[in-house]
C-alpha cells in the first residue's frame, strides 16, 4: 500500500531532499536512464534525478511517432536551457508496427507498454550498462490500474510484475506518493518554468489514447493537427485538460456541393483537481463554434465536431 502525500501536507524541501538521497542510495556509483516525455511528471523527475546523479543520469526522449506537434525539439531546447542534455531516440517504426491491426483499448495500452519497456528502454539499458530506469509514475496511475479501470502504461509492481525479471532493470519512481497537484508544486520548486509545471496532463500512450480504432501514421497525423487546434484555442480556459479525439466511424458530410464521407472529431475539456473525477467545462457556444470552425478549416477530412458533456465517472478523461 503506497502512502499518499497530499498537496496540502507536502513539505516541499523535505520531500526534495529525501528523494535526492533515495535516488543516490539506490543507484550508488552506477548509471541510470531517465525517461522524459516533456509532461509535468517526467519533467519533475528529470530535475530530481539530475540533481541526484548529474552526469550519471542519461535522459532520453523517445520519439514514438505519437507525440504532439514539435514536441521533441521543444523538449530538447527547454531542458538545454535548464542545463539538462536530452538525447532523442527514434522509435517510430517500433511503435507503429506494434499498433498494426490492434483496435482494443487495453491491447493498445499493452502494445505501448511492451514497446517502451521491453524493446526501447530494454535496448538503451543494455547498451549503456545502466541498471535503473527513472520515471514519473504518480498515485493516480497506480489507483486506476489496480481498480481495473485502465492499465496505465507505466505501472508494474502493483500488478505483480517485477520489471527486473520482465525487462532486466529496476524502475525508480520518486513521485509515486503524489498526485498531479503535488507534482506541480515540486516541479515549480525544482526550477521548472510555468509552461511545464502548469502544463495540462498528457498520457503516456500519447495520441494513441486519442484515436478510437487502429493507430496508423495517417490517423495520428489527423489527431495531431486537431490537438494543436484544440490546445491553442482552449489554452485560456484554465481547464484541467483538453483534447481532440478521432472517432472510428465515418459519417456522411458534404463539401463543394458533393457527398464527403468524412471523419469525426470529439472535443473534450475537463474541470478537475486530480483527475480522479472530472466534469466537462461549461464552454460558451461561441468558443465551441470557434473550435469547430478551425478544426473543419485546418484538419483535412473532418465533417463533424462534437463536444463531450458526460462527467467522469462514467466517462474517463481519455477515450482509450
Ligand atoms: P483517465 O482517462 O483514466 O485519465 O480518466 C486520468 C488521467 O491520467 C492520464 N492518463 C495516463 N497517464 N499513463 C499516464 O501516464 C497512462 O497510461 C494514462 N492514461 C491516462 C490522463 O491524461 C488523465 O490526466
Amino acid at each position: 500500500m503506497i502512502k499518499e502525500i497530499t498537496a496540502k501536507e507536502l513539505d516541499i524541501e523535505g520531500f526534495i531532499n529525501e528523494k535526492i538521497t533515495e535516488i543516490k542510495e539506490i543507484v550508488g556509483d552506477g548509471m541510470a536512464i531517465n525517461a522524459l516525455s516533456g509532461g509535468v511528471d517526467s519533467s519533475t523527475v528529470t530535475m530530481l534525478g539530475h540533481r541526484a546523479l548529474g552526469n550519471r543520469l542519461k535522459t532520453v526522449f523517445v520519439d514514438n511517432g505519437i507525440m504532439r506537434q514539435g514536441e521533441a525539439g521543444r523538449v530538447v531546447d527547454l531542458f538545454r536551457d535548464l542545463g539538462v542534455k536530452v538525447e532523442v531516440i527514434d522509435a517510430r517504426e517500433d511503435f507503429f508496427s506494434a499498433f498494426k491491426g490492434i483496435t482494443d483499448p487495453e491491447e493498445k495500452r499493452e502494445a505501448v507498454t511492451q514497446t517502451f519497456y521491453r524493446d526501447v528502454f530494454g535496448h538503451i539499458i543494455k547498451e549503456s550498462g545502466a541498471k535503473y530506469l527513472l520515471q514519473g509514475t504518480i498515485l493516480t496511475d497506480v489507483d486506476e490500474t489496480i481498480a481495473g479501470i485502465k492499465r496505465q502504461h507505466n505501472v508494474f509492481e502493483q500488478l505483480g510484475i517485477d520489471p527486473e525479471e520482465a525487462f532486466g532493470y529496476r524502475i525508480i519512481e520518486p513521485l509515486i506518493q503524489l498526485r498531479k497537484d503535488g507534482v506541480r508544486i515540486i516541479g515549480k520548486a525544482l526550477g521548472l518554468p510555468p509552461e511545464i509545471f502548469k502544463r495540462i496532463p498528457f498520457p503516456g500512450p500519447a495520441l494513441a489514447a486519442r484515436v478510437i480504432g487502429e493507430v496508423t501514421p495517417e490517423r495520428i497525423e489527423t489527431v495531431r493537427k486537431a490537438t494543436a487546434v484544440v490546445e491553442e484555442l482552449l489554452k485560456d480556459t484554465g481547464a484541467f485538460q483538453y483534447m481532440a479525439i478521432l472517432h472510428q466511424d465515418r459519417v456522411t458530410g458534404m463539401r463543394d456541393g458533393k457527398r464527403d464521407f468524412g471523419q469525426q472529431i470529439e472535443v473534450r475539456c475537463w474541470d478537475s483537481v486530480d483527475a480522479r473525477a472530472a466534469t466537462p467545462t461549461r464552454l460558451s457556444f461561441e468558443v465551441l463554434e470557434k473550435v469547430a470552425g478551425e478544426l473543419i478549416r485546418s484538419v483535412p477530412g473532418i465533417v463533424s465536431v462534437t463536444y463531450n458533456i458526460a462527467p467522469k465517472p462514467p466517462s474517463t478523461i481519455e477515450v482509450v
Side-chain angles (χ1 to χ4, degrees), residues 26-27 29-34 53 55-60 121-134 164 167-172:
I26 297 173
V27 178
D29 53 12
M31 276 269 305
I33 302 293
N34 172 47
L53 303 173
N55 286 339
R56 288 185 297 114
L57 185 73
K58 180 178 154 96
T59 293
V60 297
F121 293 134
H123 181 76
I124 301 171
I125 294 256
K126 219 182 239 158
E127 265 200 340
S128 65
K131 291 194 178 69
Y132 302 93
L133 179 77
L134 229 74
E164 200 157 10
F167 313 118
Y169 51 85
R170 276 181 68 188
I171 295 182
I172 306 174

Side-chain angles (χ1 to χ4, degrees), residues 114-318:
Q114 292 301 330
T115 310
F116 260 128
Y117 293 91
R118 186 194 58 206
D119 304 342
V120 179
F121 293 134
H123 181 76
I124 301 171
I125 294 256
K126 219 182 239 158
E127 265 200 340
S128 65
K131 291 194 178 69
Y132 302 93
L133 179 77
L134 229 74
Q135 71 171 20
T137 321
I138 64 172
L139 196 48
T140 318
D141 300 337
V142 177
D143 283 350
E144 298 216 341
T145 301
I146 294 177
I149 297 167
K150 292 183 184 186
R151 194 298 187 212
Q152 306 268 311
H153 81 290
N154 50 3
V155 174
F156 300 102
E157 213 184 294
Q158 295 78 16
L159 287 175
I161 302 168
D162 176 357
E164 200 157 10
E165 253 172 50
F167 313 118
Y169 51 85
R170 276 181 68 188
I171 295 182
I172 306 174
E173 299 168 313
L175 306 179
I176 202 141
Q177 291 171 277
L178 306 180
R179 295 193 189 273
K180 204 58 122 193
D181 43 354
V183 179
R184 291 191 203 282
I185 296 171
I186 297 297
K188 182 179 180 191
L190 285 166
L192 289 176
E195 62 202 274
I196 294 197
F197 74 75
K198 284 189 178 163
R199 203 171 189 203
I200 55 169
F202 189 69
L207 296 174
R210 312 230 168 123
V211 167
I212 303 176
E214 194 180 358
V215 177
T216 63
E218 297 72 31
R219 303 193 76 215
I220 286 291
E221 196 45 40
T222 301
V223 86
R224 181 181 283 129
K225 286 201 171 97
T227 301
V229 169
V230 169
E231 288 198 354
E232 173 59 26
L233 293 181
L234 298 186
K235 67 174 193 264
D236 297 327
T237 55
F240 178 81
Q241 202 168 354
Y242 31 88
M243 63 195 70
I245 287 148
L246 177 63
H247 277 227
Q248 186 166 25
D249 289 340
R250 289 185 173 254
V251 289
T252 300
M254 55 189 289
R255 205 178 298 273
D256 305 326
K258 287 215 174 74
R259 178 180 189 267
D260 182 5
F261 197 43
Q263 309 212 70
Q264 313 188 62
I265 289 287
E266 175 187 332
V267 177
R268 292 183 169 198
C269 182
W270 297 107
D271 291 336
S272 177
V273 175
D274 55 20
R276 282 188 285 184
T279 49
T281 307
R282 293 192 162 213
L283 297 175
S284 72
F285 208 82
E286 224 181 324
V287 169
L288 288 170
E289 272 180 332
K290 209 167 154 192
V291 172
E294 193 50 34
L295 285 170
I296 291 162
R297 234 187 326 276
S298 63
V299 187
I302 302 303
V303 296
S304 164
V305 178
T306 57
Y307 184 57
N308 177 52
I309 52 169
K312 171 184 178 175
S315 261
T316 57
I317 289 180
E318 304 291 345

Side-chain angles (χ1 to χ4, degrees), residues 17-155:
N17 291 333
E18 190 186 306
K19 292 299 156 189
I20 288 178
T21 309
E22 258 177 44
I23 297 169
K24 275 187 179 155
E25 272 174 18
I26 297 173
V27 178
D29 53 12
M31 276 269 305
I33 302 293
N34 172 47
L36 171 66
S37 71
V40 186
D41 310 335
S42 69
S43 296
T44 302
V45 164
T46 299
M47 297 309 280
L48 271 179
H50 192 68
R51 279 220 197 157
L53 303 173
N55 286 339
R56 288 185 297 114
L57 185 73
K58 180 178 154 96
T59 293
V60 297
F61 174 94
V62 177
D63 181 2
N64 49 20
I66 50 176
M67 297 305 256
R68 286 171 286 186
Q69 231 155 52
E71 195 70 358
R74 201 191 59 81
V75 170
V76 170
D77 290 351
L78 224 144
F79 277 89
R80 188 191 300 118
D81 293 346
L82 293 166
V84 180
K85 186 169 165 265
V86 180
E87 193 179 321
V88 178
I89 309 282
D90 183 358
R92 287 174 293 182
E93 285 267 333
D94 301 76
F95 278 86
F96 283 119
S97 58
F99 287 134
K100 236 181 211 137
I102 293 180
T103 53
D104 177 79
E106 287 299 298
E107 284 180 26
K108 242 186 247 180
R109 287 175 165 269
E110 188 58 22
V112 170
T113 295
Q114 292 301 330
T115 310
F116 260 128
Y117 293 91
R118 186 194 58 206
D119 304 342
V120 179
F121 293 134
H123 181 76
I124 301 171
I125 294 256
K126 219 182 239 158
E127 265 200 340
S128 65
K131 291 194 178 69
Y132 302 93
L133 179 77
L134 229 74
Q135 71 171 20
T137 321
I138 64 172
L139 196 48
T140 318
D141 300 337
V142 177
D143 283 350
E144 298 216 341
T145 301
I146 294 177
I149 297 167
K150 292 183 184 186
R151 194 298 187 212
Q152 306 268 311
H153 81 290
N154 50 3
V155 174

